[in-house]
Amino acid sequence: MINAVLVFNNHGKPRLVRFYQHLAEEVQQQLIRETFHLVLKRDEHICNFLECGSLFGGADYKLIYRHYATLYFVFCVDSSESELGILDLIQVFVETLDKCFENVCELDLIFHMDKVHYILQEVVIGGMVLETNMNKIVAQVEAQSKLEKAEQGGLSAAPSRAVSAVKNINLPEIPRNINIGDINIKVPSLSQFM
Amino acid sequence: MSDVVERTLSALPALLGPQHPAAGPGRLPATSRLGSLIRSITALTSKHEEEKLIQQEIASLKAMVSAPTTTLRLMKECMVRLIYCEMLGYESSFGYIHAIKLAQQGNLLEKRVGTLGYDLQSTNLVEVCMALTVVSQIFPREMIPAVLPLIEDKLQHSKEIIRRKAVQALYKFYLIAPNQVQHIHDKFRKALCDRDVGVMAASLHIYLEMIKENSSGYKDLTESFVMILKQVVGGKLPIDFNYHSVPAPWLQIQLLRILGLLGKDDPRTSELMYDVLDESLRRAEINHNITYAILFECVQTIYTIHPKSELLEKAAKCIGKFVLSPKINLKYLGLKALTCVIQQDPNLALQHQMTIIECLDHPDPIIKKETLEILYRITNGQNVTVIVQKMYAPDNGWFIQTMNAVFSVGGDALHPDIPNNFLRLLAEGFDDRKEDEQLRTYAVRSYLTLLEEENTFYPQKFLQVMIWVLGEYSSLATDVDPEIILTRLHSLLKKTFVTSDTKAWIMAAVTKIASRTSCSKTIDKLIKEFSSSLDTCMRQHAFELKHLCEDKVLMKNLLPFDASCNDVVVDASLSFLDGFVVEGLSHGAAPYKPHHQRQEEKLSQEKALNFEPYGLSFASSVSSSGITGRQSPTGLSFGSDTSGNSAETGHKETNTLKLEGIRKLWGKEGYLPKKESKAGKPDEPQAASCGNLLAGRVTDPSASQSDQVSSFSEEEKEKQQLASTLFVGLGSNAGVSLMGKMDVATQKFKRKSKINETQNSEEASDIQNSDASTFGPLLDTVPVNKEDCEGNKHTRLRKPSLCSSDTVEDNLAFETPQSLKKPGLNDRLSDSRLSPLSLFADSNIEIFQPSSSALCESANKTSSVPSLPKELEELPHSEVVELCQSDALALYLCKVWKDDSLLLALFASNKKGSALNAVNLVFEKAEHFQILESPAHQFSVIEAQSVEHCQKYVWMDKICTQGILPGSISYQSEMESCLEFSVTLSLLDFIRPMEMTTEDFGKLWLSLSNDVKQNIKMLPSQDSLSAALSTLQQKLKLHIVDIIGNEGILACQLLPSVPCLLHCRTYSGMLALWFRSPCSALPDGLLYQCQKVMEES
């Protein structure tokens, strides 16, 4: 079972946090911090699996992570999941995000948090892998957003307007902890990660 | 709680359905608040500012959500912002209730369940979908019954996505409350048979969980799962399910896991899945990451279920692919797989030993850790030392804490070497001065905290360690007032549980600290208190301290800081007292007589027996020079009148930290192997046997690896040597190792010891030579080894010692004779001195001196009674005896007593008219003996009526008077036959005379600890001492060192180099024998032999 899905950037700022078991708020934040420190310490060219010891309350858990441009995608899973399987699942998730947002970047995750959550819900439900077929996920998410749009017109378009507003403002003024130059998450070919 | 909010959000669109018309576009600006919030957050420069901003934001959100005028749309916006704040880790729990309220607003009259029910009954596909998604999130247990029927309904839904989510929701329910969904188990089965693959896949989650809990209940489904997997593997699924052209990989993984659980320990069920597993392995062509995932699951399943050798073989090959992969993730998984299977199949570890060695030093700690896990699982008696030292101490803190734990738990039951070694490590330190100081300071602080605790009892040894460290290094902790430490020590002195030994340590420590402080109330108090103590020892110490404190300069000189490792030159002759002696003599005092002389005089006056031929005075002088002085409380007593206080001296000696002769067991890298002892000994024969094994295992990958050995660099060689030590004792053939000498491999872990063990260079090269010959067969296969043996001349090669398990003193002791080997003999003995050969020649033990006529005679009797080769014939040897024979083959043995070993010459004689093929001679592992090379020998062919011979060198490993070395010889004639035989070896086969001078004898005698005394009756025929001694010389191969009056001294050694000394005295028809040896069992064994020969003659 997948215990948690965490996405944070190179500075440890959480961008997507999803726990599939109930944990107190402080514990969640603690976990995010510790996970970040664990992952940050690791070189690019060493393996993507990480035993996190008692971090999640049992030696059974491990972290499987991938690093895309400015973001770390970390899945915390127990022993019933296949490591390589999860590793590809992260790839599927990111590719799906890329499809939905067209050239996904960290800002998309910030401003479309709700949509990212919806997409994740189509891939992982209650800690179980539901769907791994990218096209189906995208179709399902689109159907939902269509319904939403039909219901309330321009409401959900607002955040995206905010994104474009941010994207269009004077770039040099953008604070330094967002690395504009490398803002797009490049979805690399899989072989790179093997 | 963010779950609640998210759940609400996902339900929102449904809630915002037609009955709640969307608000007008005029409100839009409010919704871009999230954007502006994020923008302002990212514009901030400090965490503090961010906090302030978020607090503001939350406050405004709070006001907004509570305001009755806030519209639903605005509410949603607020929720998103709340989630964002919460993700950043800010308290936003006030929003939860609003979120729940919001979720309930679908219809103000309906409760939440009702909302869900409404959604579930909806005809809108997406709405149902989202409702089911919500259900699958964290869901309150009490609500399950209310929703369950609706969801069960959805299992029949025409759309597969609905059915699928329904299954998922049911799975969630199963996890939350298994008993509530018990009645729908058949529905799960239906889902498993669903025509849509997605639904079926979803149901597998449930089955995996259920089978994990109770595999026996679902055995009947095995065939279904196998069928499904077959179809998946066979590519029967729609192309949609392909991921990188691999059919439904996640589904395969799931199925393989289920099969593994089902087939575990169940041969019948396992039988069903062999085919499909084979197929999976075959189909999974390596082209993508995900294929490796499937392969990995396959391998795990194959090793979990009832084994089938064919599949295991393939799986092992697969593991090889993982382990050898350059891709780090795959390597990790390969190691993980190895860890799982290593106990079932240790040979697999052998195949990959080189990879494992490389991974030990991998930059990735995760890989390292997994490798250590493997090592942990392959640990056995033979490689434990090498493995343990790979698990090094991470830092000072860890080391001190661990040692503290060891001392407090182990207490006084600890071997005295352990605290000694620990202190030695602290005192000697490493090459890095700064690091030493850190370690010492850490230790000081740690002990101070420990001593702070009142009423805690520590074992005496631990206390002594703490006290020593405080005394020696407390000044390193500059912020601690020495007065505090002194108070601690003072209070310890008054504790009743502190023994007088420990008190002496405390006084020493106090003195050391006192030398570094100007004046101290505690010290004055202490001196006052103990100057009148009833304990003479303490009183003495107090006086010493008092006097020293009066002369600070002297005190500083006497007790320099951190000089515990410096050698203290002891003037053993006490020459500085010469003036005093001369004065005494001039005043008419009697000249000094040594203790033993006095005793002898006394004895001779009393005409009593002197059982102490070599006076104890030697012993005391030797041990006093061994004291390093300042380290021990003894070192403080400069009162020279030791003779009057001998009891106390002896008592004090037990307190002394005798660091001189102690091996360093712990270093920065962890446990340092005792290269010369335990580790070396058992590995020797196996290491030596590797040549043979390599030759025999050509098909083995490790063997092919070794073919490339010649091109390996130095570093690789080291790795290989490490491998050979790590993988000792694994697998069916216990001694597989790639390279030869164990010693060489362990050498590199050994920290340079400050004590240089005396090493006779001549002897070292001697061993080198013998090594080269011992490794003969190995050299043929692996050319580099020869170079290795010779190229490592700097490494100290040492013959395995028989008494290595004994303690330090023994070790030191038996080193001495090696240097005593060569010196010329005492002149007085030169006439009676015999070369080893002649020694045997004139004895009447079974020595076969073949004359040409005898040879002819035997040759006539049977054509095939063998004779020794020329070069051996000249050496003392036994008769050729028959060990066993059959119609086809006879085996003969001749013992050749070589100077450095016992050589067994074995002759295999073919009695048939046709050649015998593949004759294999194997010695079994014997408790007492050790075959120096491979215990096996193969004659590829023995021609008709001819004899082949082979030689085996044997040492006695464990002392016994007589032991059996069993073996068997197998050969191929019409059929495979095997003959068993046994060789009886006696202790005397391994005893050789040892030449030395009387002086050396005296020195060695004193250094030996194990002694055995016995009086035996002499027969009338040999009532003189010389007659008795010559009997011993002839029959036991002892060397007579000297004969003085009615006493005689003899020496011999047990191969390879354990000395045994014998002192004989005759009196009134009795012969008093007194043996001494570093090895406790040897005197007993020899005494038995002596008694036997004396009775016989």
Side-chain angles (χ1 to χ4, degrees):
Chain A
M1 181 182 152
I2 298 168
N3 209 34
V5 175
L6 311 172
V7 180
F8 39 74
N9 71 2
N10 290 347
H11 305 279
K13 276 245 179 292
R15 292 303 178 214
L16 171 71
V17 177
R18 191 76 182 83
F19 286 91
Y20 293 98
Q21 63 178 182
H22 181 75
L23 290 170
E25 192 64 33
E26 308 84 69
V27 181
Q28 289 187 7
Q29 289 300 322
Q30 174 78 5
L31 284 177
I32 294 168
R33 266 197 305 279
E34 286 185 22
T35 310
F36 171 64
H37 286 300
L38 276 178
V39 171
L40 189 72
K41 269 191 285 186
R42 297 178 59 78
D43 286 342
E44 279 295 305
H45 301 293
I46 54 182
C47 74
N48 300 59
F49 316 125
L50 192 58
E51 277 155 55
C52 47
S54 53
L55 195 58
F56 282 78
D60 199 25
Y61 292 107
K62 53 195 164 249
L63 301 174
I64 293 156
Y65 74 95
R66 285 197 135 160
H67 188 198
Y68 295 91
T70 59
L71 291 178
Y72 284 99
F73 286 74
V74 185
F75 278 47
C76 172
V77 301
D78 66 8
S79 64
S80 68
E81 298 291 339
S82 149
E83 286 98 337
L84 285 173
I86 294 294
L87 202 60
D88 271 38
L89 189 72
I90 301 180
Q91 178 73 12
V92 167
F93 179 50
V94 175
E95 277 184 44
T96 313
L97 288 176
D98 194 52
K99 265 196 178 159
C100 293
F101 291 109
E102 285 166 18
N103 244 343
V104 66
C105 70
E106 191 179 335
L107 286 183
D108 289 319
L109 266 74
I110 300 170
F111 290 105
H112 298 284
M113 215 173 24
D114 47 346
K115 198 170 177 192
V116 176
H117 272 290
Y118 296 150
I119 296 170
L120 183 61
Q121 270 165 17
E122 291 305 315
V123 181
V124 180
I125 254 195
M128 286 295 149
V129 182
L130 176 75
E131 179 62 77
T132 51
N133 187 319
M134 227 175 303
N135 297 328
K136 285 192 180 173
I137 300 169
V138 175
Q140 192 63 25
V141 171
E142 270 166 8
Q144 276 179 28
S145 57
K146 236 184 241 161
L147 179 72
E148 208 175 330
K149 270 181 194 149
E151 281 163 359
Q152 41 181 314
L155 177 75
S156 65
S160 63
R161 243 172 265 140
V163 174
S164 54
V166 171
K167 277 180 174 170
N168 292 333
I169 57 171
N170 198 2
L171 281 183
E173 278 176 31
I174 291 229
R176 54 196 84 89
N177 62 346
I178 294 186
N179 183 358
I180 293 296
D182 202 14
I183 208 158
N184 283 330
I185 300 169
K186 294 188 182 65
V187 182
S189 75
L190 266 172
S191 54
Q192 215 174 308
F193 284 93
M194 284 172 52
Chain B
M1 271 319 271
S2 60
D3 299 317
V4 178
V5 184
E6 279 154 28
R7 197 186 318 156
T8 314
L9 271 178
S10 40
L12 265 176
L15 298 167
L16 299 165
Q19 73 268 43
H20 296 284
R27 297 278 179 84
L28 265 179
T31 60
S32 62
R33 286 267 181 90
L34 175 69
S36 52
L37 170 66
I38 292 165
R39 217 176 321 162
S40 37
I41 288 175
T42 48
L44 298 173
T45 49
S46 75
K47 180 87 190 158
H48 183 70
E49 283 174 345
E50 181 190 296
E51 253 167 51
K52 233 162 79 184
L53 185 84
I54 301 269
Q55 292 310 335
Q56 270 173 16
E57 178 71 23
I58 286 178
S60 79
L61 278 175
K62 211 174 191 169
M64 206 183 288
V65 291
S66 323
T69 53
T70 311
T71 62
L72 271 174
R73 233 182 44 202
L74 201 55
M75 202 64 141
K76 183 199 166 181
E77 221 286 325
C78 292
M79 286 300 138
V80 175
R81 265 149 67 195
L82 266 181
I83 296 176
Y84 189 82
C85 293
E86 184 158 350
M87 189 170 75
L88 291 179
Y90 293 93
E91 173 70 38
S92 52
S93 49
F94 69 88
Y96 301 157
I97 187 64
H98 295 287
I100 292 168
K101 258 199 228 156
L102 191 62
Q104 289 172 345
Q105 280 179 5
N107 183 328
L108 285 171
L109 296 173
E110 271 177 333
K111 288 284 160 225
R112 181 143 157 248
V113 186
T115 316
L116 271 177
Y118 171 77
D119 289 340
L120 286 171
Q121 284 159 8
S122 161
T123 47
N124 185 321
L125 195 69
V126 184
E127 274 177 22
V128 178
C129 249
M130 285 193 287
L132 282 170
T133 308
V134 173
V135 170
S136 296
Q137 313 288 355
I138 291 179
F139 198 81
R141 158 182 277 206
E142 319 73 66
M143 279 162 68
I144 293 176
V147 188
L148 194 57
L150 287 171
I151 292 179
E152 278 179 59
D153 267 1
K154 292 290 169 272
L155 285 173
Q156 260 86 52
H157 202 278
S158 59
K159 265 291 192 197
E160 66 277 351
I161 183 80
I162 304 288
R163 293 204 298 273
R164 190 172 186 177
K165 289 202 172 175
V167 170
Q168 207 88 36
L170 283 182
Y171 171 67
K172 196 75 206 177
F173 290 171
Y174 175 80
L175 285 185
I176 297 166
N179 358 344
Q180 294 195 15
V181 283
Q182 242 165 12
H183 62 288
I184 47 166
H185 275 197
D186 55 325
K187 294 220 161 102
F188 290 153
R189 290 197 179 216
K190 216 178 228 165
L192 184 67
C193 306
D194 198 284
R195 58 188 181 280
D196 181 74
V197 183
V199 182
M200 182 267 290
S203 73
L204 289 183
H205 288 306
I206 303 173
Y207 277 106
L208 184 61
E209 200 60 37
M210 293 195 296
I211 291 170
K212 216 186 261 172
E213 266 154 42
N214 169 26
S215 67
S216 57
Y218 301 91
K219 297 270 183 196
D220 57 320
L221 285 172
T222 312
E223 265 178 280
S224 316
F225 291 126
V226 169
M227 272 301 290
I228 297 170
L229 185 57
K230 242 182 207 150
Q231 289 172 32
V232 175
V233 172
K236 300 266 161 55
L237 293 189
I239 201 104
D240 287 14
F241 289 92
N242 283 10
Y243 175 80
H244 288 264
S245 68
V246 180
W250 284 280
L251 187 59
Q252 287 193 41
I253 292 169
Q254 201 89 7
L255 282 167
L256 285 166
R257 283 189 179 229
I258 291 177
L259 289 184
L261 289 172
L262 284 172
K264 194 174 182 195
D265 305 324
D266 184 347
R268 259 216 315 211
T269 315
S270 299
E271 194 74 40
L272 296 171
M273 46 188 94
Y274 289 146
D275 276 350
V276 74
L277 286 174
D278 193 32
E279 174 128 357
S280 286
L281 274 182
R282 211 152 32 79
R283 289 257 184 171
E285 294 149 24
I286 308 285
N287 56 3
H288 191 268
N289 205 6
I290 201 74
T291 347
Y292 278 107
I294 297 172
L295 273 182
F296 183 73
E297 291 308 322
C298 260
V299 169
Q300 286 214 310
T301 307
I302 288 170
Y303 273 98
T304 319
I305 63 173
H306 188 79
K308 187 187 181 192
S309 60
E310 206 178 299
L311 276 178
L312 285 181
E313 227 169 79
K314 285 184 187 173
K317 233 182 247 170
C318 242
I319 292 183
K321 275 185 210 163
F322 277 90
V323 174
L324 296 174
S325 166
K327 286 157 190 161
I328 198 78
N329 285 338
L330 300 184
K331 188 163 268 186
Y332 168 77
L333 288 177
L335 290 173
K336 220 177 125 174
L338 266 185
T339 316
C340 298
V341 305
I342 209 126
Q343 268 149 349
Q344 290 176 42
D345 190 0
N347 277 323
L348 211 53
L350 289 175
Q351 284 173 28
H352 299 299
Q353 45 178 311
M354 284 318 292
T355 320
I356 293 175
I357 299 299
E358 270 160 30
C359 290
L360 265 181
D361 296 317
H362 201 278
D364 188 344
I366 300 296
I367 299 258
K368 253 191 204 166
K369 196 179 153 218
E370 201 59 45
T371 316
L372 284 178
E373 186 73 35
I374 294 182
L375 291 186
Y376 162 66
R377 299 205 186 201
I378 60 166
T379 307
N380 58 32
Q382 291 165 38
N383 59 15
V384 63
T385 324
V386 191
I387 288 181
V388 165
Q389 85 203 342
K390 288 308 274 184
M391 305 177 177
Y392 49 86
D395 57 44
N396 290 339
W398 181 90
F399 178 65
I400 298 287
Q401 297 295 345
T402 309
M403 287 315 286
N404 285 354
V406 168
F407 287 134
S408 3
V409 174
D412 295 324
L414 278 182
H415 193 278
D417 272 6
I418 296 172
N420 287 350
N421 280 320
F422 176 69
L423 290 186
R424 185 195 175 88
L425 182 87
L426 279 179
E428 288 188 347
F430 308 110
D431 308 325
D432 184 357
R433 216 182 153 70
K434 215 174 114 201
E435 214 175 298
D436 293 348
E437 280 194 359
Q438 276 174 0
L439 180 67
R440 289 167 188 166
T441 319
Y442 191 93
V444 167
R445 286 181 204 284
S446 142
Y447 296 150
L448 272 178
T449 3
L450 285 179
L451 288 180
E452 232 167 79
E453 290 165 36
E454 288 288 321
N455 303 323
T456 337
F457 297 93
Y458 296 107
Q460 298 301 318
K461 277 189 184 142
F462 189 22
L463 273 177
Q464 290 166 8
V465 167
M466 291 199 257
I467 292 159
W468 189 86
V469 171
L470 287 181
E472 199 70 21
Y473 298 116
S474 61
S475 58
L476 286 175
T478 40
D479 54 331
V480 182
D481 185 3
E483 203 61 31
I484 295 177
I485 300 165
L486 286 170
T487 329
R488 292 268 147 72
L489 293 176
H490 183 225
S491 65
L492 261 186
L493 271 178
K494 284 186 282 190
K495 294 268 160 61
T496 44
F497 64 86
V498 175
T499 63
S500 56
D501 272 11
T502 313
K503 282 183 181 160
W505 285 70
I506 297 177
M507 287 307 282
V510 167
T511 317
K512 279 184 233 171
I513 297 171
S515 75
R516 275 168 236 142
T517 51
S518 44
C519 65
S520 153
K521 270 185 211 154
T522 323
I523 289 180
D524 295 339
K525 206 165 93 190
L526 205 139
I527 292 173
K528 216 168 141 198
E529 212 171 291
F530 288 96
S531 294
S532 54
S533 166
L534 287 178
D535 185 340
T536 45
C537 230
M538 289 308 286
R539 207 162 60 224
Q540 171 80 9
H541 283 304
F543 278 129
E544 283 168 16
L545 182 57
K546 193 179 167 194
H547 284 290
L548 279 175
C549 283
E550 283 162 10
D551 188 351
K552 282 277 176 188
V553 183
L554 172 72
M555 195 177 191
K556 278 225 161 78
N557 277 335
L558 189 69
L559 303 163
F561 177 65
D562 191 21
S564 56
C565 302
N566 299 355
D567 289 329
V568 175
V569 183
V570 176
D571 185 358
S573 67
L574 306 178
S575 58
F576 55 89
L577 289 176
D578 284 352
F580 178 77
V581 173
V582 169
E583 200 187 335
L585 285 174
S586 69
H587 282 86
Y592 175 71
K593 283 178 192 161
H595 180 66
H596 65 102
Q597 198 183 338
R598 268 177 286 157
Q599 215 173 26
E600 251 168 41
E601 276 171 19
K602 205 169 135 202
L603 282 174
S604 61
Q605 279 163 12
E606 290 172 13
K607 301 215 183 306
L609 294 173
N610 177 13
F611 288 108
E612 314 263 317
Y614 307 100
L616 282 172
S617 58
F618 278 113
S620 67
S621 78
V622 165
S623 62
S624 67
S625 66
I627 295 166
T628 44
R630 210 171 66 84
Q631 288 162 330
S632 66
T634 332
L636 288 170
S637 67
F638 45 86
S640 55
D641 186 19
T642 43
S643 58
N645 201 0
S646 61
E648 197 190 317
T649 322
H651 157 75
K652 277 184 192 167
E653 263 164 31
T654 57
N655 301 346
T656 314
L657 263 184
K658 279 188 194 142
L659 298 180
E660 289 300 80
I662 290 158
R663 265 179 262 107
K664 266 176 91 172
L665 286 179
W666 289 91
K668 197 163 69 169
E669 297 92 346
Y671 184 77
L672 301 172
K674 287 192 269 177
K675 158 180 91 82
E676 59 276 24
S677 55
K678 280 174 201 155
K681 190 175 58 166
D683 294 314
E684 197 84 9
Q686 279 127 5
S689 67
C690 62
N692 220 344
L693 280 165
L694 281 179
R697 296 181 47 183
V698 191
T699 49
D700 193 307
S702 67
S704 61
Q705 246 175 30
S706 69
D707 286 341
Q708 306 149 8
V709 153
S710 51
S711 62
F712 284 169
S713 65
E714 263 312 304
E715 191 189 351
E716 304 251 330
K717 258 189 267 166
E718 268 179 20
K719 279 182 184 165
Q720 294 219 344
Q721 282 151 2
L722 176 59
S724 68
T725 50
L726 280 179
F727 297 91
V728 156
L730 274 183
S732 47
N733 22 25
V736 178
S737 54
L738 275 178
M739 296 290 272
K741 286 291 278 190
M742 161 76 180
D743 282 4
V744 183
T746 48
Q747 176 70 21
K748 93 176 164 154
F749 303 107
K750 180 142 182 160
R751 184 165 273 281
K752 270 175 282 163
S753 168
K754 287 195 181 166
I755 318 166
N756 275 323
E757 279 140 295
T758 51
Q759 193 63 42
N760 191 325
S761 64
E762 190 192 25
E763 191 193 319
S765 63
D766 229 301
I767 300 164
Q768 214 100 53
N769 293 341
S770 74
D771 278 341
S773 63
T774 321
F775 284 84
L778 180 69
L779 302 185
D780 293 343
T781 348
V782 193
V784 78
N785 279 355
K786 179 168 186 173
E787 191 189 299
D788 195 37
C789 286
E790 288 166 0
N792 273 304
K793 284 223 166 91
H794 59 278
T795 57
R796 288 171 295 168
L797 297 168
R798 183 192 288 269
K799 292 182 180 179
S801 58
L802 290 172
C803 53
S804 50
S805 57
D806 289 356
T807 46
V808 192
E809 287 88 339
D810 299 346
N811 246 322
L812 280 177
F814 79 78
E815 265 168 26
T816 341
Q818 297 178 348
S819 57
L820 298 178
K821 259 183 162 177
K822 311 165 293 175
L825 275 176
N826 200 314
D827 287 341
R828 269 180 290 172
L829 274 176
S830 54
D831 49 346
S832 67
R833 179 177 135 220
L834 298 159
S835 75
L837 182 57
S838 56
L839 208 157
F840 286 110
D842 63 354
S843 67
N844 57 357
I845 38 173
E846 2 138 53
I847 287 181
F848 185 60
Q849 292 284 31
S851 64
S852 54
S853 64
L855 248 169
C856 291
E857 204 182 30
S858 63
N860 289 341
K861 252 194 284 178
T862 56
S863 59
S864 52
V865 165
S867 60
L868 281 170
K870 264 221 177 83
E871 69 272 17
L872 293 179
E873 217 166 85
E874 291 163 7
L875 297 170
H877 59 88
S878 72
E879 264 179 84
V880 177
V881 291
E882 184 189 293
L883 283 178
C884 60
Q885 75 167 313
S886 67
D887 301 341
L889 183 112
L891 188 68
Y892 300 92
L893 168 80
C894 176
K895 296 180 188 172
V896 181
W897 294 290
K898 295 188 74 165
D899 280 351
D900 56 354
S901 62
L902 175 70
L903 188 143
L904 299 180
L906 293 141
F907 304 91
S909 154
N910 182 357
K911 303 202 290 188
K912 289 190 26 170
S914 56
L916 283 176
N917 288 323
V919 180
N920 229 333
L921 178 88
V922 183
F923 280 106
E924 283 161 36
K925 208 170 152 60
E927 193 191 349
H928 300 284
F929 306 105
Q930 174 192 335
I931 310 232
L932 296 194
E933 274 174 78
S934 139
H937 186 89
Q938 185 165 27
F939 308 96
S940 52
V941 67
I942 303 180
E943 295 299 336
Q945 298 292 325
S946 72
V947 181
E948 291 285 329
H949 97 279
C950 75
Q951 303 178 359
K952 294 282 164 210
Y953 291 89
V954 187
W955 277 346
M956 187 173 259
D957 215 12
K958 228 168 111 188
I959 290 167
C960 63
T961 50
Q962 200 164 62
I964 284 175
L965 182 60
S968 61
I969 183 162
S970 61
Y971 58 94
Q972 195 84 41
S973 55
E974 286 97 33
M975 51 193 286
E976 178 96 27
S977 316
C978 185
L979 294 174
E980 289 188 352
F981 64 86
S982 65
V983 180
T984 310
L985 299 173
S986 137
L987 177 65
L988 290 183
D989 286 328
F990 301 93
I991 295 289
R992 299 287 180 272
M994 185 168 174
E995 295 175 13
M996 58 166 62
T997 63
T998 313
E999 201 187 357
D1000 290 337
F1001 185 97
K1003 277 187 200 155
L1004 185 57
W1005 179 270
L1006 291 174
S1007 65
L1008 299 181
S1009 49
N1010 297 304
D1011 59 356
V1012 170
K1013 291 183 202 173
Q1014 179 84 44
N1015 294 344
I1016 54 176
K1017 241 200 181 103
M1018 292 205 290
L1019 296 176
S1021 60
Q1022 22 128 317
D1023 52 350
S1024 76
L1025 177 70
S1026 57
L1029 292 191
S1030 66
T1031 312
L1032 292 177
Q1033 183 189 34
Q1034 283 168 18
K1035 302 218 168 158
L1036 301 184
K1037 302 169 208 166
L1038 305 180
H1039 169 67
I1040 301 175
V1041 180
D1042 207 347
I1043 302 176
I1044 310 164
N1046 62 344
E1047 295 178 43
I1049 48 178
L1050 298 91
C1052 68
Q1053 58 177 331
L1054 175 68
L1055 290 175
S1057 62
V1058 184
C1060 184
L1061 305 182
L1062 169 62
H1063 172 263
C1064 302
R1065 260 171 80 94
T1066 50
Y1067 63 94
S1068 54
M1070 296 292 275
L1071 181 65
L1073 299 173
W1074 187 357
F1075 291 92
R1076 275 196 173 185
S1077 168
C1079 173
S1080 56
L1082 188 54
D1084 288 323
L1086 273 177
L1087 176 64
Y1088 171 77
Q1089 300 287 354
C1090 280
Q1091 283 172 321
K1092 222 167 86 179
V1093 294
M1094 294 304 279
E1095 278 164 25
E1096 277 169 6
S1097 58

